[in-house]
Amino acid sequence: MASVRPVSRLDSKVELPTQAYIKPAAQDAAHETAAPPTLQRAGMSILSLISFGLNTATRLQPPVTRALARFQTPIWASKTTIARVLFLVVGLFTLLPIISAGIALMMGMFFALVIGNPYLATTHRYTPILLQVSVVGLGAAMNLMTIAAVGMHGALYTAVGISMTLVLGLALGKLMRTNYTTSLLLSVGTAICGGSAIAAVASTMRAKDHEVSLSLAIVFFLNALALFLFPWIGHRAGFDENQFGLWSALAIHDTSSVVGAASQYGTKALEVATTVKLARALWIVPVVCVVSLFWMRKDGACAQAKKVKRPWFILGFLLMAALVTWAPALIPAGHVVSDISQRILVLTLFLIGSSMARSTLKNIRFRPFVHGLVLWIIVGSTCFLAISTGWLK
């Protein structure tokens, strides 16, 4: 049996260092397992030193540089914010007397196509309201007796003109092989009051969205053209204000464009144009009812027509004119209200132009556009000849 020599304290002190350099395999494995945390701590120390250096360098920068570094993308410099500010500034600019209705419309179209309307939903919501308010305000500078005389005088040829335009429009659509629904929408829009009539009839006949969009796009383009073309033709033809007001009311689609064109011609032209056009707009409900009957709606043809929004603002227009007519002391205030309403109308035309999107232009198709253009030219030329020859007064 081998003898075991006891280990003294001196021996232990001598042997331990020797054993430290001779490690078994198990200790090596343990050391390798513990190595990654050590490397991680070293890496974190290096990153801390780098961060400390960057923070020190930042603190040494001037205060302005540090402020710009914190706000690399300022809120006021975002594209959306800039577009909103520009839209509000341009909109307020159209309220100045130096901006005409046609220029305001072109400014809105340019803004929509180049920058984009940042308030598109709000614009669609409030544009009809502003248009109605401006029309009501225009009545404050008009005489109710004159309005009644003009309205009664034009009632007969308004009915005849609407009927002939509808027949002619449908015949052109059949000749040019335009879609029947689109043809009817274009005919109604040309005969009565543009987009409002199209929207009313479309709700009755359950027209498809692309058919309604196409018709509205064509009418919009022709309205924009009329704002510049009609005053130019009227002056070249030597029309007086009464003649031009009558012609614009019969040949231009939308009420906004009629009032915008007539306001560039004169006060009398504005009075005649507004009166005749509003009297024409009253035909929306009976025309919608007739279209429903011919559309073979067995579940109550005129029931749908009752859901169409009535042009109640026409009543407000008449009440405003009656108030000024029966209270002559209010005439100066009425002219102020009328002037403000004209500027609101110019702003409304800017909003109408800004509502046009690139997709609106893409919706325009060649054959329906030619259909709407030819129908508009025929109606406008016929009314022009009838007025210039004295047949219509």
Side-chain angles (χ1 to χ4, degrees), residues 32-279:
E32 291 174 359
T33 305
T38 304
L39 295 176
Q40 184 177 7
R41 287 194 296 272
M44 293 297 295
S45 299
I46 295 173
L47 292 177
S48 299
L49 290 174
I50 295 174
S51 177
F52 176 78
L54 292 176
N55 292 333
T56 303
T58 303
R59 286 195 297 271
L60 293 177
Q61 293 176 350
V64 176
T65 307
R66 293 202 305 269
L68 292 177
R70 294 178 183 176
F71 302 98
Q72 295 179 357
T73 307
I75 297 177
W76 55 266
S78 63
K79 293 182 179 180
T80 304
T81 305
I82 293 175
R84 289 177 177 175
V85 173
L86 283 177
F87 187 87
L88 295 176
V89 170
V90 176
L92 292 175
F93 185 70
T94 59
L95 294 174
L96 298 177
I98 60 174
I99 304 298
S100 63
I103 297 298
L105 181 66
M106 294 301 296
M107 290 169 63
M109 294 171 62
F110 179 83
F111 200 101
L113 296 177
V114 176
I115 301 177
N117 187 348
Y119 299 103
L120 190 58
T122 305
T123 301
H124 283 300
R125 185 182 307 116
Y126 289 104
T127 297
I129 298 176
L130 288 176
L131 176 60
Q132 294 174 10
V133 169
S134 61
V135 170
V136 171
L138 291 176
M142 299 184 184
N143 187 279
L144 184 62
M145 299 298 104
T146 304
I147 292 175
V150 173
M152 293 299 295
H153 180 71
L156 179 60
Y157 56 72
T158 296
V160 174
I162 290 175
S163 302
M164 292 182 63
T165 302
L166 291 175
V167 172
L168 178 61
L170 294 176
L172 273 176
K174 189 174 182 180
L175 180 65
M176 301 180 65
R177 298 180 181 179
T178 308
N179 175 271
Y180 180 75
T181 303
T182 304
S183 176
L184 181 58
L185 292 177
L186 289 173
S187 302
V188 171
T190 305
I192 307 178
C193 56
S196 301
I198 289 175
V201 173
S203 64
T204 300
M205 38 192 309
R206 295 179 181 177
K208 298 178 181 178
D209 290 340
H210 73 273
E211 295 170 336
V212 179
S213 300
L214 174 61
S215 304
L216 291 175
I218 294 172
V219 167
F220 178 88
F221 179 83
L222 297 178
N223 279 324
L225 185 61
L227 271 174
F228 296 94
L229 192 60
F230 270 58
W232 183 81
I233 295 176
H235 286 298
R236 297 301 179 278
F239 275 4
D240 58 25
E241 293 190 21
N242 184 77
Q243 291 175 314
F244 181 82
L246 181 59
W247 182 46
S248 59
L250 297 178
I252 300 178
H253 298 82
D254 283 337
T255 303
S256 58
S257 296
V258 170
V259 178
S263 63
Q264 302 177 56
Y265 214 84
T267 305
K268 183 64 177 179
L270 178 62
E271 181 178 352
V272 174
T274 305
T275 303
V276 175
K277 192 62 179 179
L278 293 183

